[in-house]
Amino acid sequence: MNVFSLPANGSIEVEPMVSLLRNHFIPGCEVPGRSGLSHTRLLSTPTGHRAVTVTIGRTGVTVSTAAPRNQLPALKTTIRRWLDLETDLEKVARAFISDALLGPLVKHRPGLRAVGYPEPFEAAVMTVLGQQVSVAAAGTFGGRLAAAYGTPGEAGLTIFPTPAVLASAPPEDLRSAIGVTRTRGATVQHVARAFCDGLVLSGDHADVRTALLAIPGIGPWSADYLAVRVLGDRDAFTPGDLVLRRAMGNPSISEAETLSERWRPYRAYALFHLWIEATSARRVS
């Protein structure tokens, strides 16, 4: 077993990071730790999927994995990007500190990081499954999908289904296995086919957004959400998000977009601060 530490560039707000990982986990594919501070899942490497356990601390994360040493550099890069360990949050704080809405939040949670998503195709499918349902329901759908179409991986975990497997599944079988509507099942398969045809969630963000919006069933919220969670766009924003808009005082989508202009170029961090404040038991106000 290889154990190593990955320091963060500054502090980490442990509770929000752990809560996000725990609340969004896919049964069978991920295991939240019993201690409440760790999380185990599979991550892809050039030679296959490897199980990793990350334990979140105030100044960084500790990682344990049975992956060979030659795969550790790739895993380290993935984890640092996934958990947003590189960002200098002091710059974000300086940008927000005088803002009437965000100033108190950044003072309360100075180490809040924009946690990403380590597996792009998995993220895209889970975003579709999460449309207009609760986070818990999305996790249930994802677990059913993985159980039906995934493959066994390390540590008793399931490797999330590949684009090819989902694209070729009989539509009614897939819909029934997940327990979603035909429309939602069709969108999952449209996404899978797009990945089979070469869609990659990296590169020019505007081009990726255009490609996502061309997929039937993918709207602005999904494209914006993936820009934040997968592309790592620190200025991406989801003005159509209901939780976000409640935290902003219930503006319209267009009004939320306009209000967010003052938070550039760190709108993704504004989004996370507002999300966490809206859902936290320890609210600032």
Side-chain angles (χ1 to χ4, degrees):
M1 184 68 67
N2 291 301
V3 180
F4 55 89
S5 297
L6 295 176
N9 183 2
S11 64
I12 294 175
E13 295 296 329
V14 175
E15 183 179 344
M17 184 179 286
V18 170
S19 294
L20 187 147
L21 297 176
R22 181 178 61 244
N23 292 340
H24 288 260
F25 91 104
I26 304 172
C29 296
E30 303 172 80
V31 180
R34 293 180 181 178
S35 69
L37 298 179
S38 64
H39 192 84
T40 301
R41 65 157 297 142
L42 298 168
L43 296 178
S44 59
T45 75
T47 58
H49 287 79
R50 298 294 180 179
V52 301
T53 296
V54 295
T55 302
I56 314 300
R58 287 285 300 165
T59 59
V61 302
T62 300
V63 183
S64 60
T65 179
R69 294 188 66 82
N70 64 359
Q71 294 181 4
L72 298 186
L75 288 173
K76 290 178 181 179
T77 298
T78 296
I79 294 167
R80 294 193 71 84
R81 178 178 174 84
W82 168 27
L83 301 179
D84 187 28
L85 300 182
E86 297 287 356
T87 302
D88 179 359
L89 294 182
E90 290 187 3
K91 291 183 179 180
V92 179
R94 287 195 294 270
F96 292 162
I97 200 67
S98 62
D99 187 89
L101 182 57
L102 292 180
L105 304 186
V106 78
K107 287 181 182 178
H108 187 62
R109 302 184 185 95
L112 186 65
R113 295 185 176 272
V115 178
Y117 211 113
E119 301 292 329
F121 176 65
E122 179 186 310
V125 171
M126 291 305 299
T127 299
V128 170
L129 295 180
Q131 292 172 349
Q132 300 177 331
V133 300
S134 68
V135 171
T140 297
F141 294 150
R144 292 172 182 168
L145 183 69
Y149 296 102
T151 54
E154 288 185 348
L157 297 173
T158 300
I159 300 172
F160 196 81
T162 65
V165 166
L166 294 187
S168 62
E172 186 56 30
D173 289 354
L174 182 140
R175 185 209 65 77
S176 179
I178 306 173
V180 294
T181 63
R182 287 183 175 84
T183 299
R184 191 61 45 82
T187 301
V188 168
Q189 294 198 288
H190 289 317
V191 169
R193 293 182 186 114
F195 272 78
C196 288
D197 291 341
L199 175 64
V200 178
L201 298 188
S202 64
D204 184 88
H205 294 182
D207 289 345
V208 173
R209 191 175 194 277
T210 298
L212 285 169
L213 291 175
I215 300 172
I218 296 293
W221 178 86
S222 297
D224 293 338
Y225 183 81
L226 289 169
V228 174
R229 298 294 308 280
V230 180
L231 296 177
D233 186 344
R234 298 310 179 217
D235 198 36
F237 197 69
T238 59
D241 189 88
L242 292 176
V243 174
L244 167 72
R245 284 191 284 134
R246 279 203 303 269
M248 294 177 70
N250 294 309
S252 67
I253 293 176
S254 62
E255 289 170 340
E257 180 72 38
T258 299
L259 288 170
S260 75
E261 289 296 317
R262 69 180 192 259
W263 300 325
R264 290 186 182 275
Y266 300 117
R267 295 193 303 169
Y269 290 95
L271 178 64
F272 267 82
H273 274 286
L274 292 166
W275 270 343
I276 296 301
E277 175 66 8
T279 57
S280 176
R282 300 181 179 179
R283 300 184 65 175
V284 174
S285 57

